[in-house]
Amino acid sequence: MAETYDVVIAGAGHNALILGCYLAKAGVKTLIVERSDRAGGSVATRELTGPGFKQDVCSVSHSLIMGNPLIRNDELQLLSKYGLQYNHPERISALLFDDGTVLEFWSDLERTAASIAKISPKDADNYRRFVDTVDKTLDMLVMGMFSVPPDPGTQAMMMNASPEGQELMRLQAISAWDLICEWIEHPKIRIALARYASETMMDPFDNGTGFGFYLILPYMYKFGLGIAVGGSGALADALVRCFEDHGGTIRLNAQVERILLEGQTAHGLVLDDGEVIRADKAVVAGLHVAQVFPHMVEGAELPPGFLHRIDVLKYAALQPMTVHLALKEPAHFTVGQGIDDFYWVETGHADVDEFAQGFQDLKRGIPRDDFAIYVQQFRADATRVPEGMAQLHIYAFVPLDLKDGGRAKWDEIGEEWANRFIANLRKIAPNVTPDNILGMHFMTPLDITRYNTSLVNGDIQHLGFYSWQLGGNRPVPGWGQYRMPIERLYLTAGSTHPGGGVTGGPGRNAAQVLFEDLGLDFDSVTG
């Protein structure tokens, strides 16, 4: 006899775990099936460089989930009962320009503006006005992130009904660079803000990227950076404790082969060894939409054009490569004054044309060693390293598909590029010498796709944050409300609104839809 549950979920990323927790808390018999040996997906922490050095495999900060009612209101008691803690560093980032100029971003708006004023007093005021303008719509936008999105037509009508909405529609169409230039005059400040815009692995000069930049910094001032104590994986650990405490079951080291279909209705999961797990009420794919369709639902009758829309999804322009270092002593940055304590440090470009050309090179498959961020996670959370020691995480922008050799070439050149990024770091932090490095671990973009197969084409957001792939258009128009075109099949994770990264939005929003379809009261489990 096949095992039977009310709801079965394929994949144990953080969104699937969040959805499972709400269901289990409501008394729904729920099973989560995961191919890996641990739950959490990209929300994971490992001792990659040696005992006592806790490094985040993928996600490093949880700023977006800070605005989610899941955390703001502690709806699942992750903070009050299940051990989750967050720190919010004051010193967020320091950007070092080629000419020695330093621009500091703080969690405090005024201290950030004071740093901007050293380069351009006028732009310090412009920046304040920009943040104040976004603040006026921020509560509405945050509510929209953590709610089921309307269909695109309805959303367009709603937005067109007010000047504020019309402006948001315009911002969705333009590039992040264009938006920045509307507010800021000095090239260095523009470049610094565009670096923030590119954190979603998007070219800020591409049209359709403006909305992503609009939110990121004002959101951070309001809710904080969100550094999980003990590592990013602490969120997954707390969710697992919550889920199991409410009676949920997790199966690890179990690969889902396909969705069990009977007629045109989802009835469970079939594992790669042939085992069948049945679901009486619903099946959820906590996976990338392109993993599910068509490969996991062969024989299903899908709406005309649906698979074509999956085939033409646009992925992010850039992909990440990571290098983790265990250090005897912290990196000492000799360029700039007093920036050693900042959570992350990066080098910038003083010339706009060079900056823009860098993105063009990356999109054409040409790797560069001058687009990297140096993340010092221990600065926000000392529990991640042995006492007196340090760590550093190099987060670089690279192309997955190389112009010379394609993505397979990374297996040959990965170590070479890891060492190039370390050599560049040494130019501004000379004490990161071989004697200071206790351990090194790197992951090319190809390694990252192997680690988490839901990061299709190396896209850490699942789908590029372009305007036509946001809201009710995510993953595709007509199917943006978590219900899929197969009866009783639902989708969560980064392919759905509000997207990838650690937002928790897809999990919580999908839970609201399932509760409605199962005749349950969502408010009863959020108090």
Side-chain angles (χ1 to χ4, degrees), residues 216-238:
I216 187 168
L217 284 162
Y219 194 105
M220 187 174 63
Y221 291 129
K222 187 176 182 69
F223 298 111
L225 195 58
I227 308 302
V229 175
S232 186
L235 171 60
D237 294 341

Side-chain angles (χ1 to χ4, degrees), residues 34-46 48 56-59 441 443-455:
E34 169 58 40
R35 63 182 285 271
S36 179
D37 62 348
R38 297 188 192 182
S42 294
V43 179
T45 303
R46 305 282 190 273
L48 297 174
D56 292 336
V57 182
C58 294
S59 65
H441 178 275
M443 294 179 74
T444 70
L446 182 58
D447 293 327
I448 291 171
T449 63
R450 290 166 175 157
Y451 170 78
N452 186 346
T453 54
S454 289
L455 304 182

Side-chain angles (χ1 to χ4, degrees), residues 1 6 20 24 47 55 81 91 97 113 125 160 202 246 269 308 324 357 367 370 395 426 428 477 500 505 514 527:
M1 294 290 291
D6 294 329
E47 293 185 338
Q55 277 110 3
K81 184 175 181 180
R91 296 172 172 85
F97 289 99
D125 290 335
N160 194 48
M202 304 290 285
H246 289 291
L269 303 174
H308 173 70
H324 290 96
Q357 183 60 47
D370 56 346
Y395 184 79
R426 198 170 289 134
I428 59 174
L514 261 80

Side-chain angles (χ1 to χ4, degrees), residues 422-463:
I422 295 171
N424 267 9
L425 166 63
R426 198 170 289 134
K427 293 175 183 177
I428 59 174
N431 73 324
V432 184
T433 60
D435 288 344
N436 190 18
I437 299 174
L438 297 172
M440 187 268 278
H441 178 275
F442 69 87
M443 294 179 74
T444 70
L446 182 58
D447 293 327
I448 291 171
T449 63
R450 290 166 175 157
Y451 170 78
N452 186 346
T453 54
S454 289
L455 304 182
V456 173
N457 289 321
D459 193 334
I460 59 173
Q461 308 290 348
H462 282 213
L463 310 174

Side-chain angles (χ1 to χ4, degrees), residues 69-371:
L70 163 75
I71 298 298
R72 290 173 66 188
N73 302 331
D74 200 18
E75 291 178 342
L76 295 173
Q77 297 180 287
L78 300 179
L79 302 170
S80 59
K81 184 175 181 180
Y82 297 109
L84 182 61
Q85 300 177 59
Y86 281 104
N87 289 339
H88 299 278
E90 293 183 350
R91 296 172 172 85
I92 294 176
S93 69
L95 181 64
L96 312 177
F97 289 99
D98 298 340
D99 61 1
T101 305
V102 180
L103 180 58
E104 298 174 355
F105 285 86
W106 296 70
S107 62
D108 177 70
L109 171 61
E110 285 306 313
R111 296 185 80 166
T112 303
S115 182
I116 293 174
K118 294 177 182 178
I119 299 174
S120 169
K122 183 176 182 180
D123 279 333
D125 290 335
N126 291 337
Y127 184 69
R128 290 187 186 95
R129 289 192 301 106
F130 168 73
V131 173
D132 182 63
T133 299
V134 179
D135 277 343
K136 292 180 171 61
T137 61
L138 191 56
D139 287 343
M140 175 189 69
L141 295 173
V142 171
M143 181 178 67
M145 288 176 63
F146 303 115
S147 301
V148 180
D151 67 78
T154 301
Q155 180 171 307
M157 291 178 61
M158 293 167 59
M159 295 176 73
N160 194 48
S162 69
E164 295 81 7
Q166 292 166 0
E167 175 64 5
L168 291 175
M169 291 176 71
R170 186 185 73 87
L171 296 179
Q172 288 183 351
I174 67 176
S175 71
W177 181 259
D178 286 339
L179 172 58
I180 292 165
C181 290
E182 290 178 2
W183 287 93
I184 302 296
E185 296 182 3
H186 198 286
K188 287 182 180 177
I189 312 302
R190 288 177 172 179
I191 288 171
L193 296 178
R195 285 301 299 260
Y196 265 95
S198 68
E199 293 305 313
T200 57
M201 310 310 287
M202 304 290 285
D203 178 353
F205 294 91
D206 281 350
N207 286 332
T209 59
F211 189 70
F213 170 73
Y214 183 78
L215 273 179
I216 187 168
L217 284 162
Y219 194 105
M220 187 174 63
Y221 291 129
K222 187 176 182 69
F223 298 111
L225 195 58
I227 308 302
V229 175
S232 186
L235 171 60
D237 294 341
L239 287 166
V240 168
R241 287 191 288 269
C242 173
F243 181 61
E244 293 182 338
D245 191 38
H246 289 291
T249 303
I250 298 179
R251 286 271 306 271
L252 300 175
N253 299 302
Q255 175 70 54
V256 175
E257 183 73 19
R258 59 186 174 88
I259 309 295
L260 177 65
L261 298 179
E262 294 179 2
Q264 297 300 309
T265 303
H267 280 274
L269 303 174
V270 181
L271 305 187
D272 61 354
D273 62 2
E275 180 183 354
V276 174
I277 304 171
R278 298 190 65 86
D280 284 341
K281 297 180 179 179
V283 178
V284 182
L287 306 169
H288 193 291
V289 65
Q291 289 178 289
V292 180
F293 299 98
H295 314 292
M296 290 186 175
V297 292
E298 290 185 5
E301 295 179 8
L302 299 172
F306 181 82
L307 288 181
H308 173 70
R309 288 177 171 177
I310 302 297
D311 290 340
V312 298
L313 289 169
K314 187 172 179 61
Y315 294 91
L318 316 170
Q319 291 80 42
M321 177 172 175
T322 61
V323 183
H324 290 96
L325 301 177
L327 303 175
K328 290 180 184 177
E329 63 180 32
H332 173 54
F333 295 95
T334 57
V335 180
Q337 298 295 321
I339 64 168
D340 286 356
D341 291 342
F342 276 80
Y343 180 69
W344 84 68
V345 176
E346 59 183 305
T347 56
H349 303 79
D351 181 76
V352 171
D353 290 338
E354 179 189 0
F355 180 60
Q357 183 60 47
F359 288 104
Q360 290 301 312
D361 289 345
L362 292 170
K363 290 196 294 185
R364 289 166 52 217
I366 302 171
R368 295 177 58 125
D369 58 12
D370 56 346
F371 281 78

